[in-house]
Amino acid sequence: MLTKIDSKTRGRAQFGWLDSNHTFSFGHYYDPNRMGWGPLRVINEDRVIAGAGFDTHGHKDMEIISYVLDGALEHKDSIGTGSVIRPGRLQRMTAGTGIRHSEYNHSKTDPVHFLQIWVIPEADGLEPGYEEKEIARGDTGSGLSLIGSRTGRDGSITIHQDVDLYVAHLNDGESANHKIAKGRLAWVQVARGSLTVNGESLNAGDGVAIKDEDELVFTDAKDAEALVFDMVP
């Protein structure tokens, strides 16, 4: 079973400095039918103008992942981490018992475009933490590459939940397949381009919830970049 969320039906927040599209309920956008999928709670597609950003604010009991598509995202937090994340690197912050952080566009001239992803952790009260790693990009070839997992296997970033996170880079006409174990859920979020998943056509910004499928078949790709979540219910 596939359930598509069309990009045009997402929630939206516009504040001049920020243009944010919400796949799931977030902030002032609330839809009781869009409260997440499995442990996946938030996917926000954010665009921040040059020099602007999110002032220091707090989080608790959440895994927060930043996936930068264009530009440079500057991060600072209350556990002493400071970094600038660019395309090709993945960031995970464990809010746990409580953390405060800020996120700014590092550039004074160019916008930053990124996906902000929240995953509900397997337990409350984890120790706050931070991890950042280089990830597979399009120049490594087509297909799916593991970039996040519960155990940090194969060089992926650690997510404190039973979630395997993959990225798919598919050039025009390329295809890929991904097996799903019985009882698990999946979510596909298209970041760029377009592709078809099990017969469902998806464009940039679209997402699709997958249940009771044993395989994902990616076809009809056109310069596609997509995130694939394979996870517990």
Side-chain angles (χ1 to χ4, degrees):
M1 181 182 73
L2 279 71
T3 304
K4 177 180 174 179
I5 291 185
D6 190 287
S7 64
K8 300 180 182 64
T9 69
R10 292 178 295 177
R12 192 173 187 183
Q14 294 176 291
F15 299 109
W17 62 273
L18 169 68
D19 186 357
S20 181
N21 287 280
H22 311 324
T23 295
F24 303 120
S25 294
F26 185 87
H28 296 295
Y29 168 63
Y30 174 73
D31 183 335
N33 297 313
R34 295 186 180 180
M35 296 302 297
W37 186 243
L40 181 58
R41 178 60 187 84
V42 168
I43 301 178
N44 291 348
E45 183 178 4
D46 292 341
R47 291 176 171 85
V48 178
I49 66 171
F54 300 89
D55 292 332
T56 301
H57 58 284
H59 295 283
K60 187 177 179 181
D61 292 326
M62 195 65 67
E63 298 286 279
I64 300 174
I65 298 165
S66 296
Y67 185 92
V68 178
L69 291 162
D70 296 292
L73 184 66
E74 183 173 352
H75 166 94
K76 292 182 180 178
D77 62 44
S78 56
I79 60 173
T81 308
S83 184
V84 177
I85 305 100
R86 293 181 170 85
R89 295 192 69 80
L90 186 69
Q91 176 203 73
R92 184 269 304 154
M93 184 178 73
T94 296
T97 55
I99 196 169
R100 294 179 62 78
H101 77 134
S102 63
E103 291 174 298
Y104 275 85
N105 185 346
H106 182 68
S107 174
K108 305 302 180 185
T109 57
D110 301 315
V112 63
H113 178 200
F114 66 103
L115 297 179
Q116 180 183 158
I117 300 158
W118 293 11
V119 174
I120 299 169
E122 60 192 2
D124 290 343
L126 297 174
E127 181 180 352
Y130 180 92
E131 187 180 11
E132 181 186 333
K133 283 187 177 181
E134 187 172 347
I135 59 175
R137 302 293 295 181
D139 59 5
T140 64
S142 65
L144 272 61
S145 299
L146 183 71
I147 60 174
S149 66
R150 174 62 189 86
T151 60
R153 71 183 190 277
D154 299 332
S156 63
I157 209 162
T158 302
I159 302 171
H160 295 99
Q161 179 57 274
D162 186 359
V163 174
D164 286 342
L165 173 58
Y166 299 84
V167 62
H169 292 281
L170 298 174
N171 296 320
D172 290 3
E174 291 182 334
S175 60
N177 298 69
H178 176 69
K179 298 287 187 180
I180 304 173
K182 185 175 177 61
R184 290 177 71 84
L185 302 176
W187 181 275
V188 177
Q189 186 72 28
V190 181
R192 305 183 204 267
S194 62
L195 49 74
T196 297
V197 180
N198 291 18
E200 185 74 61
S201 297
L202 302 172
N203 296 304
D206 294 344
V208 62
I210 298 114
K211 182 180 181 181
D212 297 329
E213 301 278 344
D214 57 11
E215 185 178 26
L216 300 180
V217 180
F218 300 86
T219 57
D220 303 323
K222 294 184 179 178
D223 291 329
E225 181 175 354
L227 296 181
V228 181
F229 300 81
D230 181 331
M231 55 198 165
V232 293

